[in-house]
Amino acid sequence: MAVSQLVGAKIHRREDPRLITGHGRYTDDLTRTGLVHLAVVRSPHAHARIKSIGVEAAKKSPGVLGVFTAQDFKDIIAGPATHPVAPVFAPDKKVNPPRYPIAREEVCYQGEPVAVVVAEQRYQAADAAQLVDVEYDPLPAVMEIEEAMKPGSPKAHTDQPDNIAWDATYVPWEATEEAFKTADVVVKQRILQRRLSPNAIESRVVMAEYDPFDKRLTMWMSTQNPHWIRLFVSGALGMGEHSVRVVSHDVGGGFGSKISPYPEDYLVPAVSKLVERPVKWTETRTEAVQNAYAGRGQIYDVEASAKKDGTLLGMRVTQLLDCGAYIGTFGAFQTCACLLAGGAYKWKAISSRSIGVLTNKITTDPYRGAGRPEATHVAERMIDLLAVELKMDPVELRRKNFPAKEEFPFTQNFGLVMDSGDYNASLDKALKLFGYDQMRREQAEARKQGKLVGIGLSTWIEICGLGPGAVTGPATGGVVLSESAQVKVHPAGGVSIYVGTHNHGQGNDTTHAQIAADALGVPIEQIDIRHGDTNEGPGFGYGTYGSRTLAVGGVAINRACAKVVEKGKKVAAHILEAAEEDIVFDQGKFHVKGAPDKSKAFGEVAFAAYGQLPAGLEQGLEAVAYFEPPNFVWPFGAHICAVEVDAETGNAQITKYVAVDDCGNIINPMIVDGQLHGGIAQSIGQALYEEMVYDQDGQLRSATFLDYTIPSMNEIPNIQLDRTITPSPTNELGVKGIGEAGTIAATAAIINAICDAVSPLGIKHVDMPATPDRLWNQIKEARK
Amino acid sequence: MNVNGVDHPAPTDPRRLLSDHIRHDIGLTGTHVGCEHGVCGCCTVLFDGAPVRSCLMLAIQAEGHQVTTIEGLAPDGAPLHPVQQAFHETHGLQCGFCTPGFVMSVVGLLKQNPDPTPEEIDEGISGNLCRCTGYASIRRAVLRAAELSR
């Protein structure tokens, strides 16, 4: 067995030097000979009928090669299949409006493409786009979830029966009757999850070059999953996947917003086909805030019950989910919150229901955490509300209802099997690090002086590592979310590894090499990790999202390496003149059992693998592995936050933040900490600052970085991290995911702390974002 | 204008943004564009030694001035600039898109204040947005860069 040398080590990232020196290859950095530029003419209305589109003035504008509308794409882009809607966890869609990359008669959200202009230069395309004269007949826009649900409400699409996209009950209300009837305490709360804009700092960019002679298409783009895009685009353009290549070298952040296909993913290659020139489209920031698939956008109505001694009984959850104008490709994924709302606790019974609602806004789709931050927020808020009613310390109530370490694998209320956990261990460590008892004493003192200080916990859990075929097959409508890796060992011993996951900041080029270096026993410098080019590697890659890259993709690498070692043993047996079963592989060397001196180095075996071999043994030293995980993985942890609310300004200041997280075995602690810091910061953004604000006509009022306020360094406090390690039994590396953990955990800790801070005023609940304005008004009301 | 020690002809389009000119006319794509409205700081370059947002300037305004971009800090073959080295050591970047802007802002900050306090760092670098790191590692990068520059 190889001695582990690199797994677990803090290895500095190999991708850094090119990125730090300005030599990254983001899509907008690339060009092609003869490149022309595309600008999109978008609807300024949230809902309108298109009366006419005048293109003549734009066509005459300097540098313009063409102006195209829906009519021009009719024979080039196949219909609504361009925006497939996965069944996910709400397979029975009642209203599922067909979506085309470019509007036909009716526009249903602000920013929906109406026409595209292609010109020699980007500025020329932008100028000409202003000259496209679109005449609209405005229609009533439906903007609020509950308005849209009312009978007789204006409809998001005039040709659909109503606005109800789905209505799915996971467990009916009767199942929780007993749990509420026998309860000593019942709490009810409405909890809001506002719409968020993902805002990766690199906006989306698509460049396409159609070669009319070979009938091949190459696309360079900013995406989290190039193979999926190839599947969608090749289908829509009537091309075989073998004729389409999707390349995404460096990608400037994704956060879920670069998973599903977008209109431009079709329009740009189609225009390249029309004008027979390479075409590039670079999204502006306002386009990104307005039209990147939004996150969250949900209302939760929740009831929870418990016995006097703190034993949890029942929970009832209704999720109202704002789908936007069209259901997102993975939009119904966020209904997973209905299956996870019980959080880390043992409940007698949980009922839940999700209603998806169409409105005249951009589509919602997965955004970092997708359904799991919402579930955590519901669970953790309800626990705190119960603790207040029961007059119990929120720590005590949590502990009383955790499944014990020995109870894992633990089957939760919806039949999902939580693979491993030790929830008390992470909580204990967090309490100690935070100095919980001392902080509570200080809080009592501060309250005597009239200060609004609070402490909040979030003992979060997460389901990730998408995922086992039994669940992901039906959820995607047929594709199982396994992951692929190909390992090629070249004759001189260099190793190229092609992965189906994608690196857009997660450090995979480094962590994947660490796994392979240990598995093959070769120096890390000898290993090249490649991603983001569908012309390389296995037939399909499933991409990076849902904290799956390590727990699924990493395991695929490990298994492909194991296959290479097995082949290496056959070759070594030949050159060492021994029986294959007597060959031992250890630390990069193949030796004969009991005779470690009789050995061949990895490189020697690689070279021999391409030489003369006995009959029946093929040349070559390479392998492909697909890994379909038998279960999900379940990270967990405990976050504790202290805040002080200024009653005069409404400003909530985080004064202390501690996070103890457990993602199983760790490949590189530096990367894990980086993911947590980033995730927590994004969660602070949601808890305190971020919200997509629309007016009643559907105009986005927060369409720039001045109005949609993502946190800067000034807004992020010092965060203390620590960890526990509970290996996952789901895979042989014992790993779980960590990419979304911070975002899943933190809003609850922050809002619980704020609610605790303002509780002396009689305020029971505060919604996100807890902006100074919102808090100040709530405090003012409470003091009346 | 002079970019990283090399003279370049004036842009032909008077509307050309300095950021676009650097990226697409001169071909130095290390300077990134994140918002084109002066908030994210990705496009930060040194203009006669001081950090500016190149998306908020016209290229012709740079005529007769010295511009330094991320590529000018450690020209090909040279060791990393202390600020770049510090970002690498402290894991001060993830996707790397905002990084050139941060690096240029930190170079500017340390030039002005070689030994900033944590508060001065927060103040000095709060004009750059990062969506990946949560800033903790960037704070450490600034402290480390100050140390390496001594």
Side-chain angles (χ1 to χ4, degrees):
Chain A
M1 206 191 109
V3 171
S4 181
Q5 293 171 320
L6 289 173
V7 166
K10 177 186 171 182
I11 306 276
H12 290 298
R13 299 200 322 171
R14 10 165 60 197
E15 49 267 66
D16 285 354
R18 72 169 189 277
L19 301 176
I20 291 177
T21 55
H23 294 92
R25 289 172 302 162
Y26 303 91
T27 307
D28 192 57
D29 299 342
L30 310 175
T31 189
R32 305 293 296 168
T33 304
L35 183 70
V36 293
H37 298 266
L38 183 137
V40 183
V41 179
R42 299 179 185 279
S43 168
H45 300 284
H47 198 190
R49 205 175 301 286
I50 301 169
K51 286 172 79 178
S52 65
I53 305 177
V55 299
E56 289 316 310
K59 275 185 174 167
K60 287 185 202 134
S61 189
V64 170
L65 279 79
V67 181
F68 305 105
T69 64
Q71 193 63 22
D72 302 296
F73 294 108
K74 234 174 47 191
D75 300 326
I76 297 180
I77 306 175
T82 47
H83 289 90
V85 173
V88 206
F89 307 121
D92 181 22
K93 306 286 193 301
K94 294 179 183 304
V95 176
N96 183 4
R99 181 177 182 196
Y100 299 86
I102 192 156
R104 296 178 163 202
E105 292 95 27
E106 191 174 318
V107 285
C108 297
Y109 65 91
Q110 186 192 36
E112 185 157 10
V114 173
V116 296
V117 176
V118 61
E120 294 287 348
Q121 293 170 21
R122 190 174 177 215
Y123 291 19
Q124 291 173 331
D127 285 344
Q130 298 289 320
L131 298 174
V132 175
D133 184 18
V134 189
E135 205 182 335
Y136 296 96
D137 215 348
L139 294 162
V142 54
M143 300 305 294
E144 299 302 328
I145 298 175
E146 286 175 297
E147 283 301 310
M149 290 169 65
K150 285 181 187 158
S153 152
K155 292 185 289 185
H157 296 257
T158 55
D159 61 353
Q160 298 293 327
D162 57 33
N163 298 315
I164 306 299
W166 66 75
D167 184 347
T169 297
Y170 299 96
V171 172
W173 261 227
E174 298 81 70
T176 39
E177 246 168 50
E178 185 69 20
F180 279 88
K181 226 187 284 169
T182 56
D184 297 317
V185 178
V186 174
V187 291
K188 288 185 187 185
Q189 187 60 51
R190 167 163 281 206
I191 296 171
L192 304 182
Q193 288 276 341
R194 315 273 177 179
R195 261 183 180 253
L196 303 179
S197 176
N199 277 312
I201 303 291
E202 182 209 23
S203 60
R204 289 187 313 110
V205 185
V206 182
M207 181 167 77
E209 181 167 14
Y210 180 76
D211 178 339
F213 302 104
D214 288 344
K215 297 192 168 44
R216 283 196 184 130
L217 172 70
T218 307
M219 293 175 71
W220 296 262
M221 61 187 287
S222 182
T223 177
Q224 297 175 224
N225 36 224
H227 289 87
W228 282 100
I229 297 295
R230 181 186 65 175
L231 176 69
F232 295 141
V233 171
S234 61
L237 296 191
M239 301 176 72
E241 277 169 290
H242 56 283
S243 309
V244 177
R245 177 185 181 195
V246 178
V247 182
S248 61
H249 298 300
D250 290 317
V251 170
F255 314 112
S257 71
K258 296 173 182 173
I259 298 173
S260 296
Y262 282 85
E264 298 82 6
D265 301 352
Y266 303 99
L267 297 171
V268 176
V271 168
S272 177
K273 222 171 165 178
L274 283 168
V275 301
E276 299 193 352
R277 296 271 292 270
V279 179
K280 188 198 271 185
W281 167 75
T282 301
E283 188 180 51
T284 66
R285 179 54 50 186
T286 290
E287 283 180 305
V289 184
Q290 195 179 57
N291 296 325
Y293 298 141
R296 321 288 190 253
Q298 298 151 30
I299 298 171
Y300 289 86
D301 285 316
V302 195
E303 293 175 71
S305 68
K307 285 191 189 161
K308 264 199 301 251
D309 68 354
T311 305
L312 297 178
L313 293 175
M315 187 190 263
R316 287 171 169 168
V317 184
T318 306
Q319 175 197 50
L320 309 178
L321 190 152
D322 179 354
C323 297
Y326 302 92
I327 304 174
T329 299
F330 299 105
F333 181 83
Q334 297 167 105
T335 58
C336 73
C338 293
L339 309 176
L340 300 165
Y345 313 102
K346 296 162 85 169
W347 298 84
K348 293 278 180 277
I350 303 178
S351 304
S352 65
R353 175 186 183 193
S354 169
I355 305 174
V357 182
L358 296 159
T359 60
N360 291 112
K361 286 179 259 180
I362 184 64
T363 294
T364 52
D365 221 27
Y367 165 61
R368 200 172 193 176
R372 292 153 292 164
E374 296 95 313
T376 303
H377 206 82
V378 164
E380 297 301 302
R381 281 299 299 128
M382 296 316 282
I383 291 289
D384 269 29
L385 287 166
L386 282 170
V388 169
E389 286 302 309
L390 292 162
K391 297 187 173 54
M392 269 178 92
D393 187 286
V395 171
E396 198 190 328
L397 182 58
R398 282 172 167 81
R399 277 198 203 286
K400 192 175 173 58
N401 293 284
F402 282 154
K405 185 183 172 186
E406 298 72 32
E407 289 178 80
F408 288 87
F410 178 79
T411 305
Q412 51 95 283
N413 293 75
F414 293 85
L416 294 163
V417 180
M418 295 146 80
D419 63 345
S420 64
D422 188 352
Y423 300 165
N424 276 305
S426 51
L427 178 57
D428 285 342
K429 209 167 185 178
L431 291 168
K432 202 171 159 206
L433 193 59
F434 186 77
Y436 185 74
D437 294 337
Q438 175 63 24
M439 288 292 285
R440 282 288 183 205
R441 283 193 290 274
E442 287 175 18
Q443 179 189 28
E445 278 308 307
R447 277 184 174 168
K448 282 184 202 157
Q449 296 160 29
K451 285 186 179 169
L452 299 176
V453 293
I455 294 169
L457 287 100
S458 170
T459 42
W460 66 279
I461 61 161
E462 176 190 358
I463 181 173
C464 68
L466 309 171
V471 179
T472 58
T476 62
V479 178
V480 164
L481 299 180
S482 70
E483 195 47 81
S484 63
Q486 180 178 25
V487 176
K488 288 186 193 170
V489 184
H490 308 295
V495 182
S496 298
I497 299 182
Y498 304 87
V499 296
T501 53
H502 191 277
N503 183 4
H504 33 283
Q506 296 87 342
N508 310 341
D509 291 359
T510 305
T511 50
H512 285 165
Q514 287 178 256
I515 294 170
D518 271 8
L520 299 174
V522 302
I524 196 166
E525 297 76 21
Q526 219 167 300
I527 299 169
D528 187 28
I529 302 289
R530 301 185 63 97
H531 72 273
D533 185 342
T534 60
N535 266 19
E536 292 182 341
F540 198 76
Y542 299 75
T544 283
Y545 43 82
S547 303
R548 67 188 304 278
T549 303
L550 173 60
V552 190
V555 179
I557 293 170
N558 200 47
R559 292 199 173 181
C561 289
K563 286 185 180 180
V564 160
V565 168
E566 283 313 303
K567 172 75 185 287
K569 281 183 182 174
K570 292 186 204 298
V571 176
H574 165 62
I575 52 178
L576 287 166
E577 295 176 339
E580 187 191 333
E581 50 274 20
D582 288 339
I583 300 295
V584 178
F585 178 71
D586 186 19
Q587 298 188 59
K589 282 189 172 166
F590 296 85
H591 68 81
V592 179
K593 200 189 288 174
D597 292 347
K598 211 179 166 198
S599 74
K600 290 285 175 191
F602 187 82
E604 289 176 284
V605 170
F607 193 76
Y610 292 89
Q612 197 166 13
L613 296 172
L617 192 55
E618 286 177 22
Q619 275 74 21
L621 193 55
E622 56 186 89
V624 172
Y626 280 75
F627 174 61
E628 184 203 324
N631 187 9
F632 295 100
V633 290
W634 297 76
F636 60 91
H639 288 213
I640 313 180
C641 174
V643 298
E644 179 163 0
V645 175
D646 183 335
E648 301 312 312
T649 64
N651 187 53
Q653 188 73 39
I654 297 173
T655 51
K656 191 168 195 173
Y657 198 102
V658 160
V660 175
D661 298 298
D662 191 320
C663 60
N665 289 339
I666 284 172
I667 307 298
N668 186 331
M670 180 188 81
I671 301 283
V672 169
D673 290 353
Q675 288 294 314
L676 282 164
H677 277 293
I680 292 168
Q682 219 155 358
S683 205
I684 290 172
Q686 173 175 15
L688 299 179
Y689 308 108
E690 296 179 33
E691 180 179 4
M692 290 178 79
V693 181
Y694 292 86
D695 72 10
Q696 59 185 11
D697 296 324
Q699 297 290 316
L700 181 62
R701 291 165 60 196
S702 52
T704 71
F705 272 158
L706 290 167
D707 318 290
Y708 189 89
T709 45
I710 73 174
S712 76
M713 193 183 277
N714 257 333
E715 282 76 50
I716 303 301
N718 282 315
I719 290 159
Q720 279 177 276
L721 299 182
D722 206 336
R723 62 176 63 92
T724 58
I725 295 179
T726 308
S728 168
T730 306
N731 58 70
E732 59 264 32
L733 295 176
V735 295
K736 299 184 177 182
I738 200 67
E740 297 164 291
T743 311
I744 289 168
T747 62
I750 298 162
I751 295 297
N752 278 342
I754 291 173
C755 292
D756 185 39
V758 296
S759 63
L761 302 172
I763 298 171
K764 287 195 169 165
H765 179 74
V766 173
D767 266 311
M768 299 185 285
T771 55
D773 170 57
R774 184 166 285 140
L775 272 175
W776 184 81
N777 274 303
Q778 237 176 313
I779 292 167
K780 198 174 77 170
E781 279 302 306
R783 278 178 168 169
K784 264 184 191 166
Chain B
M1 77 184 76
N2 183 289
V3 181
N4 301 337
V6 180
D7 286 328
H8 290 274
T12 48
D13 180 356
R15 292 192 305 171
R16 196 71 160 159
L17 296 177
L18 180 57
S19 53
D20 285 342
H21 185 60
I22 291 169
R23 288 177 54 74
H24 302 301
D25 302 333
I26 299 175
L28 294 171
T29 53
T31 299
H32 296 154
V33 174
C35 72
E36 283 187 303
H37 51 256
V39 181
C40 76
C42 285
C43 64
T44 305
V45 297
L46 300 182
F47 188 78
D48 295 333
V52 298
R53 281 149 206 266
S54 60
C55 79
L56 292 186
M57 283 182 71
L58 295 170
I60 49 169
Q61 290 176 285
E63 273 303 287
H65 293 270
Q66 300 275 343
V67 175
T68 309
T69 72
I70 187 78
E71 292 93 339
L73 291 185
D76 291 341
L80 292 178
H81 184 280
V83 176
Q84 293 170 318
Q85 181 63 30
F87 270 75
H88 178 53
E89 286 178 18
T90 61
H91 189 30
L93 68 155
Q94 289 182 23
C95 81
F97 192 81
C98 69
T99 310
F102 267 97
V103 168
M104 299 315 281
S105 291
V106 174
V107 170
L109 172 72
L110 294 182
K111 204 181 268 188
Q112 225 177 28
N113 180 357
D115 195 15
T117 63
E119 292 73 27
E120 287 167 344
I121 292 171
D122 281 15
E123 192 57 36
I125 308 301
S126 65
N128 288 69
L129 297 178
C130 169
R131 196 63 157 164
C132 294
T133 62
Y135 302 105
S137 58
I138 298 180
R139 280 194 186 109
R140 287 201 304 275
V142 182
L143 290 170
R144 177 69 181 139
E147 200 175 276
L148 288 172
S149 305
R150 268 178 217 133

